[in-house]
Each structure stands twice: as C-alpha cells, then as structure tokens.
Amino acid sequence: MTISFDSTTAPTSLSTTTEPGRLRRTAVAVTGFLAAALPTVWTINLTRFVVTGELSEHRYHQLTGQGLMLTTLWLLAVVPLIVAGWNGRRPSSAAGVLHLAFVGTGAACSVAATGGGAPSLLAVIAVTGGLLWLALPLRPRLRLPVRIDPVLMPLALVTAALSTPFVLDQIDLQNAATGHHAHNPHLFDMAWLVCTLTVIAVAAAAFPVVRRLGVLAGAGFAWTGAIGLVLGVEQAWSAMFLAAGAALALVSARRVRG
C-alpha cells in the first residue's frame, strides 16, 4: 500500500546506454580517480588503525563517522557513477541521490561547524564530484515519481526527529572543541554521517526508484548504534539508532523485494 503523488513521470524514451569515445572515457577515468582517491586512501588508513589498534581511544569514530561508515557511503556515492560512466550506462537514480545527499549534507554541516578544515574538505569533494558528473556520458535521472510509503515514511521521519538533537549536539561540541578535536573534526563527521543517513532514508520513503537506499540508511544507523553500545559511547542515542535503523532496514528490504 502506498500514498501516491505522481507529480512527475520519469521519462522512458531517454537512452540508458551510449558508447563513450576515447576522450569521454579518459575524462571519466581522470575525474573518477580524483573523486575516489581520497575516500580510498582514507579507508585504507582507517582500516590500518582499526587492525593495529593505533589511536584506539578513537575507535568509535574510526568505525563510524570519522571512519569506515562514512567512507563506505562516500565510495558508494562515487564508484557506481564511475563504473556506469566508463561502460556508457546511465547511473542509477539511487547512486545520484546518494551522491547529492552526501555532498549536500556535508556542505550544510561544514557551514554550521567550520573548524578543522571541514569547508576545505567539502570544497574538494564537491569540485571533484562535480567534475565527475560533467564527464559522465549519461547522468542519473533525478526527476522521479513520488509515491510515499505509508510505513517507511513515518519510520524515516521518526528517525529524523531522533537524529536532529544528536546532530545539533555534535555541531555544538565541534564548535566548542579544543586541542585534537578542533583540528581533527570527529564530531563534525558524526553530524555529517547521521545527516546523510537521514536524508537518504526520507528519499527512500518518498521515491520508489531509490527505495533500496532505505536499506543502506537503516544499516548505517544500526551499525552506528551497535558500535556505540559495544564501546559504551553515546549509549542513549546508540540504542535509539540501533532500533530505528533495524526497523528502517527491514521495512525497506521488504519494500524492495515487493
């Protein structure tokens, strides 16, 4: 059962494949490398930290916001664009929405918390991502029909309501931070992670074409909550994130299969 508001209809006559020439493939390869290099290096480095126990006092952030959960979203936002562009296929709408959500929420959080080089980081991410979109032979379709899921949307909105105080708290803590956290903005990263997950959860509830993003959002919330509970960090928020994330993931998975 869905509540339908079909204000727009996704075009069906547009081509979904094309044969990219050598110059186009070169542009995709170069811009793809620029867009994916930083999250790849970041992922490798953080994996080394986790495996070796380096800076173990920051294990929570290494596994969530400043770390592997955030870089997973980052890579999932750019790698499908690169692969589709190289093969001359139109990237999925889900990939396009995820990339825009990742960059957009990061930019918004960097305006609210400007310390630790966050605005410079987001400028690099936005520019390299924008160049990749320009290089694509076909771009994701973003004019999507709206059909609000009557179960998934309330779950997404409840999760957003739970997330908002956490995000504001992390932003306030980042702005007040001194020492290590002032220069390495883990708290900003946590706000960014949670904002991205919230936005794609709401998008999944509103647009059937990107419904699978609800599974990703739910898994991200559940992972963040589970790591917080295991490591004894932000336990109240962690419990809520785990419960809300599990519900989001399960309902979204059923909707995708249905």
Side-chain angles (χ1 to χ4, degrees), residues 66-149:
Q66 185 245 355
L68 296 178
M69 189 67 240
L70 188 69
T71 60
T72 296
L73 291 178
W74 194 347
L75 288 169
L76 288 175
V78 296
V79 170
L81 301 179
I82 298 167
V83 173
W86 178 265
N87 293 317
R89 292 185 287 104
R90 186 181 300 280
S92 69
S93 297
V97 169
L98 176 57
H99 188 256
L100 293 178
F102 183 79
V103 177
T105 56
C109 288
S110 70
V111 170
T114 58
S120 299
L121 172 63
L122 264 297
V124 171
I125 293 172
V127 169
T128 56
L131 291 174
L132 175 59
W133 277 63
L134 288 174
L136 294 174
L138 296 169
R139 297 183 183 92
R141 290 175 181 162
L142 298 175
R143 295 182 61 191
L144 306 175
V146 178
R147 287 198 296 275
I148 296 175
D149 188 287

Side-chain angles (χ1 to χ4, degrees), residues 140-233:
R141 290 175 181 162
L142 298 175
R143 295 182 61 191
L144 306 175
V146 178
R147 287 198 296 275
I148 296 175
D149 188 287
V151 177
L152 192 54
M153 181 58 82
L155 277 175
L157 293 178
V158 168
T159 304
L162 293 174
S163 300
T164 299
F166 176 83
V167 169
L168 295 176
D169 181 61
Q170 296 299 297
I171 293 293
D172 286 343
L173 289 172
Q174 184 62 67
N175 287 330
T178 58
H180 178 76
H181 281 100
H183 301 290
N184 197 345
H186 301 343
L187 304 166
F188 157 81
D189 292 328
M190 288 304 302
W192 181 11
L193 170 65
V194 171
C195 283
T196 302
L197 294 174
T198 300
V199 169
I200 63 174
V202 173
F207 305 111
V209 177
V210 301
R211 202 74 89 201
R212 61 186 178 181
L213 290 179
V215 179
L216 178 61
F221 275 119
W223 171 264
T224 302
I227 295 299
L229 289 176
V230 169
L231 297 179
V233 179

